[in-house]
Amino acid sequence: MKIIVVTRHREKKILDPLSKSNIDYRCVTSDRKNLIRENLDIFSEIKRHLQNEEFDLILADHADFSGFLAAILSCRYQVPLVVRLGGEVWTINNNKIKEAKKDKDISKYTFLKTLSLVNKYTLDRSDGFLTVSNHLRENVISKFNIERKRVQTVNVPITNRFIQDSISN
């Protein structure tokens, strides 16, 4: 199996388990601090890989703007898309949208509404999901009314290193 992994941050969470598998993967990420430039880089890199090699899957870490770009290219190049979810992005965004509306913060409200549409597009076009808990898996199955086999749980391991890193930060 050959996959493209798309992530904007914390790539170690995804790449560490992949490095211990027999999966051939390419990681697409960007370390730029400018959201627009970062996502243009990610789009170009995904496209370059898809034009030059055959892939079985695109794995997007989140349904954010980079996931949205992965979804567009997934459709264009007919490569299945799986989105990793670490939480209920639809609930989190809706709560933030309500808060921005209450605060009359039009720029934040507009950004969050746009992000919500980006999330919806990405999630609606996903061929499958990886969730970090069984509870989230059940919520995804219910929310998107999809077959159970399209949603798998990959629990985040709690290791001594994770605990040490958490304490030291």
Side-chain angles (χ1 to χ4, degrees):
M1 173 169 274
K2 192 172 183 179
I3 68 172
I4 296 175
V5 178
V6 181
T7 181
R8 286 184 42 241
H9 62 287
R10 298 187 316 236
E11 56 266 8
K12 240 174 123 41
K13 271 188 170 179
I14 293 181
L15 298 184
D16 280 354
L18 284 174
S19 68
K20 295 175 180 109
S21 73
N22 62 351
I23 296 173
D24 185 10
Y25 65 90
R26 306 292 178 273
C27 181
V28 176
T29 190
S30 177
D31 59 1
R32 294 187 187 254
K33 302 300 177 213
N34 177 296
L35 184 65
I36 294 170
R37 185 72 230 166
E38 181 178 85
N39 283 293
L40 287 173
D41 287 352
I42 287 171
F43 181 84
S44 297
E45 189 72 7
I46 297 169
K47 186 176 176 187
R48 184 182 66 76
H49 281 303
L50 291 171
Q51 288 174 332
N52 295 325
E53 300 177 66
E54 297 240 347
F55 287 89
D56 301 302
L57 182 76
I58 299 173
L59 173 61
D61 183 28
H62 301 295
D64 59 7
F65 291 104
S66 60
F68 172 71
L69 298 173
I72 290 170
L73 291 169
S74 165
C75 291
R76 164 67 177 87
Y77 289 93
Q78 298 181 356
V79 177
L81 174 69
V82 171
V83 176
R84 179 188 171 278
L85 295 172
E88 295 179 13
V89 292
W90 52 91
T91 303
I92 294 165
N93 285 347
N94 285 338
N95 290 340
K96 288 180 179 181
I97 288 168
K98 287 176 188 173
E99 184 181 306
K101 189 174 182 179
K102 186 179 123 208
D103 294 344
K104 297 182 180 166
D105 186 341
I106 191 69
S107 60
K108 185 175 182 181
Y109 176 83
T110 303
F111 175 80
L112 290 167
K113 282 298 269 189
T114 303
L115 183 58
S116 180
L117 293 172
V118 162
N119 291 157
K120 181 172 177 21
Y121 178 91
T122 305
L123 297 172
D124 285 348
R125 279 153 187 78
S126 296
D127 296 289
F129 299 92
L130 288 178
T131 62
V132 297
S133 70
N134 288 327
H135 175 74
L136 182 56
R137 178 178 187 245
E138 294 305 318
N139 287 350
V140 169
I141 291 167
S142 173
K143 172 133 181 87
F144 297 103
N145 193 28
I146 58 176
E147 298 173 62
R148 298 184 77 70
K149 68 181 181 181
R150 289 183 48 207
V151 185
Q152 298 299 317
T153 300
V154 179
N155 293 309
V156 178
I158 303 297
T159 62
N160 285 339
R161 179 166 179 96
F162 173 81
I163 293 167
Q164 289 170 348
D165 289 348
S166 297
I167 293 170
S168 65
N169 289 336

